[in-house]
Amino acid sequence: MIQRHGDEQSQVAEREPLLSETAQPSSDYHACRSIPEEATGDGVLRPVPEVDEERSLGREETESLKEGAHMNVVKIISVMLLGIFVAQTDGSILMATHAIIASEFNALKNSSWLIISFSLAGAATQTLYGKLSDIYGRKRMVIIAYTMFMVGCAIVGVGQTMSQVVLGRIVSGAGASGMSALVSVLITDLLPLREVAQWRAYVNLVATLGRSLGGPLGGCLADIIGWRWSFLGQVPPITLAIILCSAYLPNHTSTLDETDVANQLKKSKFSRIDFKGAFIFAALVLALLLPLELGGVNVPWSHPLIFVLLGASAILLVLFIAAEPILPLEIFHSKDAILSFLILGFQTAAQLGLMFGVPLYFQVTSTPRPSATVAGAHLMPAVMGNAVGGIISGSVIKRSGRYKSLVIWAMTCSSIGYLLLMLRWHGNTNFLESLYIFPGGFGMGVASSALFISLQVVIDLVHMAPAVSFMYLMQTVWGMIGLPAANAIMQTVLRRNLGIRLLKLGYDSAEVAEIISDAVSDVDFIDGTIEKVRNAVVQSYIDGLWWSHGFSFACSVTALVLAVFLKQRRLDGHKSKP
């Protein structure tokens, strides 16, 4: 997974230009790879500036070139926004409808796999997109990612079993990981560092709009014509996005591509891509996740299978480290880079753990029970907070160049939000108190933009694409950890407390086991049972969700402590290793 120092020069050779020389966004930012390079003392090739064009061109010509370059950047990024919008809508739709989908197959206790399978596929392919886009071009990999996402949505829409639906989520996840990472790589290719956060805020705004609409839209479609159309309906806009990307994204250009030598180099590069490592990594994550999903639910925590899976994960970790490298080792030389990965990871685990439980909380506790549309709409404060946080973060960073204080502020807000949920969400939650998820979303929006910049400050340009892919990978992995961990905590407490309550109501062990099985398999079970059992089930769900909010709070506080150790650095000048 990591790349040794000896591969650095070959790594540099793989950075081929995205845009032609006429599309360079600014004269002082050498994102385009067609500029000259020189060797530095540490053996790494670095870009060097060409002759100052403003001295050889008139002021009007220079301004005209800059304006044209800016419009070119706007056009390139804009055509990808449709794909970002649909991908984020998909995630919110799934968060709002996972209980409905799983209940149709009598598998509510396994509903988290609809999300985990998506994330697992993304984790297995995340780092590959950065490497492959360096070799074969951003445009080609963007189109491949969109196509896989579209095919996955179609499979989910027509799936007739839980296994088929999960398969569709796997295919979609393998495409969505590229859709998310490559747009950020494109932004770093095209823009000066101070402008990156603001443009990412614009992309985040579109993503947030998708997440905001996805919950109520998915719930509405589920109520009216069925949840399947929530996924089949994504196929036409993604098809349009593929057409737009084919027409407007720049082709991968290089004069070397015209030679036989370049073709041999391309084959050599392809042979070094860590496909084996990607599959080992997926197996590693699966071995870590299965104990969280099975323990306390399908098998006791003391069952030998739990220890076998944990042992297998340790072996797979060793094999993964020994596999053919894909990430440069230099990425991990900086303490700030490691801290950025960890802070974003803990915050992602906290936020996804929360988002998974919010629709379920309102479906269980509200009287009368809300429709899927209303339950999904309760996610909107969090996603709106994410949008507001991203815009504020981008604006502040562009104006002041400061990001550390933003990260600390974001983690503090999130921690307060999760604490309020623990203190106040005990059923019959009114409108104002339903807004307590806003601080968590706000903190996530601020942190994602600020931490992206903190990573870029300390990473060399030649390693930027794999570093960005790895940051998205960390979000995916920590999301996969956070979601099943929160679900496992909730399920364990739910089963234990419901069993205690039912025994106190006079039910025998067989009846208790049957009621628990029905309660965790279908959310509609609450409507068809007698009042005393319904009250026991509802209160047990509340207990379980309280502990899952506690998990989110612990993750957010950990991220806050780590944020204190980040170092504030200057954003001006060329990005290189500290």
Side-chain angles (χ1 to χ4, degrees):
M1 185 68 178
I2 55 177
Q3 185 162 343
R4 281 73 172 176
H5 183 76
D7 292 334
E8 285 179 352
Q9 292 197 10
S10 62
Q11 175 79 4
V12 174
E14 293 167 9
R15 302 291 297 183
E16 298 181 348
L18 171 69
L19 303 176
S20 64
E21 289 80 349
T22 58
Q24 296 185 22
S26 66
S27 60
D28 63 343
Y29 184 75
H30 312 295
C32 297
R33 306 299 189 247
S34 59
I35 61 177
E37 296 174 318
E38 65 177 1
T40 59
D42 58 3
V44 179
L45 295 179
R46 302 190 190 283
V48 297
E50 295 182 353
V51 178
D52 189 350
E53 293 184 0
E54 292 198 18
R55 295 185 179 181
S56 58
L57 297 175
R59 182 177 298 275
E60 292 185 1
E61 287 183 274
T62 301
E63 293 299 323
S64 177
L65 285 173
K66 288 183 177 180
E67 183 179 351
H70 177 77
M71 292 304 298
N72 200 40
V73 172
V74 172
K75 180 179 68 175
I76 291 170
I77 297 176
S78 295
V79 298
M80 297 190 68
L81 293 182
L82 178 58
I84 293 294
F85 175 82
V86 175
Q88 295 300 320
T89 301
D90 173 89
S92 187
I93 286 173
L94 204 284
M95 285 289 185
T97 60
H98 66 87
I100 299 172
I101 297 171
S103 293
E104 179 173 316
F105 302 109
N106 293 318
L108 180 59
K109 64 181 179 181
N110 296 320
S111 67
S112 61
W113 278 103
L114 295 170
I115 303 170
I116 293 171
S117 60
F118 183 92
S119 299
L120 182 64
T125 57
Q126 192 83 68
T127 54
L128 295 179
Y129 278 107
K131 185 75 169 181
L132 288 169
S133 70
D134 281 347
I135 298 173
Y136 296 106
R138 316 293 192 219
K139 177 178 180 176
R140 188 175 301 175
M141 297 313 301
V142 166
I143 293 174
I144 290 174
Y146 280 29
T147 302
M148 293 183 68
F149 181 83
M150 178 183 66
V151 171
C153 288
I155 294 174
V156 172
V158 300
Q160 298 301 309
T161 65
M162 186 70 168
S163 298
Q164 292 174 1
V165 173
V166 169
L167 173 62
R169 296 301 295 167
I170 291 173
V171 177
S172 293
S177 63
M179 294 166 68
S180 300
L182 291 176
V183 67
S184 292
V185 173
L186 277 166
I187 290 174
T188 60
D189 282 343
L190 301 172
L191 295 167
L193 185 54
R194 276 183 179 262
E195 294 186 24
V196 167
Q198 188 169 45
W199 276 83
R200 275 181 55 84
Y202 298 150
V203 174
N204 190 48
L205 181 62
V206 173
T208 301
L209 179 62
R211 289 194 294 271
S212 300
L213 295 177
L217 176 62
C220 181
L221 291 174
D223 290 336
I224 298 174
I225 58 176
W227 58 265
R228 297 179 184 278
W229 286 99
S230 299
F231 299 94
L232 292 175
Q234 297 178 54
V235 173
I238 285 295
T239 302
L240 176 60
I242 293 172
I243 295 172
L244 291 174
C245 289
S246 300
Y248 292 106
L249 259 63
N251 290 315
H252 188 77
T253 58
S254 172
T255 56
L256 292 176
D257 289 342
E258 300 172 2
T259 67
D260 293 335
V261 175
N263 292 331
Q264 294 299 319
L265 285 173
K266 187 170 286 189
K267 293 178 182 179
S268 176
K269 297 168 191 173
F270 187 83
S271 68
R272 293 200 306 271
I273 295 173
D274 189 19
F275 291 109
K276 180 176 70 175
F279 286 112
I280 293 175
F281 183 77
L284 167 62
V285 175
L286 185 62
L288 286 171
L289 290 177
L290 280 174
L292 292 174
E293 283 295 309
L294 300 177
V297 179
N298 299 95
V299 297
W301 285 105
S302 58
H303 195 281
L305 179 61
I306 302 296
F307 298 100
V308 169
L309 288 170
L310 293 176
S313 67
I315 296 173
L316 288 167
L317 178 61
V318 174
L319 293 175
F320 176 65
I321 294 174
E324 182 68 19
I326 189 172
L327 283 175
L329 181 62
E330 286 74 15
I331 290 177
F332 306 100
H333 284 177
S334 169
K335 180 192 73 174
D336 280 4
I338 296 174
L339 285 174
S340 297
F341 293 141
L342 289 176
I343 294 168
L344 188 59
F346 275 110
Q347 182 61 18
T348 300
Q351 186 68 4
L352 279 185
L354 169 71
M355 298 287 281
F356 178 79
V358 168
L360 182 61
Y361 172 83
F362 285 101
Q363 282 182 306
V364 169
T365 63
S366 298
T367 305
R369 279 212 315 126
S371 64
T373 306
V374 175
H378 282 288
L379 292 170
M380 290 188 67
V383 294
M384 293 305 296
N386 190 278
V388 174
I391 293 173
I392 291 176
S393 180
S395 177
V396 170
I397 291 173
K398 182 178 182 181
R399 185 176 65 253
S400 68
R402 307 196 65 83
Y403 55 86
K404 176 181 177 178
S405 57
L406 286 173
V407 176
I408 294 175
W409 183 37
M411 298 302 97
T412 302
C413 288
S414 295
S415 299
I416 292 173
Y418 300 134
L419 181 60
L420 287 173
L421 295 179
M422 297 175 66
L423 295 175
R424 300 298 302 170
W425 276 27
H426 299 298
N428 299 318
T429 302
N430 60 39
F431 172 76
L432 290 178
E433 292 193 316
S434 72
L435 300 179
Y436 288 159
I437 63 173
F438 179 88
F442 179 81
M444 189 70 199
V446 173
S448 60
S449 294
L451 291 169
F452 190 83
I453 296 301
S454 74
L455 176 68
Q456 285 197 289
V457 172
V458 297
I459 296 297
D460 238 343
L461 277 173
V462 294
H463 302 316
M464 190 56 65
V468 170
S469 292
F470 188 73
M471 174 166 269
Y472 276 96
L473 173 62
M474 286 297 96
Q475 280 191 278
T476 301
V477 171
W478 280 89
M480 286 190 293
I481 293 172
L483 195 152
N487 185 53
I489 291 169
M490 189 272 291
Q491 289 279 344
T492 300
V493 175
L494 164 64
R495 289 168 177 270
R496 184 193 64 196
N497 289 9
L498 181 56
I500 293 172
R501 287 188 172 95
L502 291 174
L503 288 174
K504 289 181 177 179
L505 291 175
Y507 291 95
D508 60 35
S509 298
E511 291 173 322
V512 167
E514 182 180 356
I515 292 173
I516 291 176
S517 177
D518 291 338
V520 301
S521 298
D522 188 352
V523 71
D524 293 326
F525 169 77
I526 298 173
D527 292 335
T529 188
I530 60 177
E531 183 176 359
K532 63 179 183 179
V533 173
R534 179 168 63 250
N535 292 338
V537 172
V538 170
Q539 192 57 50
S540 298
Y541 263 105
I542 292 173
D543 294 344
L545 290 167
W546 187 92
W547 281 98
S548 72
H549 298 331
F551 167 79
S552 294
F553 175 71
C555 288
S556 190
V557 170
T558 303
L560 174 60
V561 173
L562 293 175
V564 175
F565 297 96
L566 270 179
K567 183 177 180 180
Q568 174 67 47
R569 300 173 187 267
R570 289 179 57 85
L571 301 189
D572 299 320
H574 177 66
K575 296 178 289 185
S576 62
K577 291 185 296 184

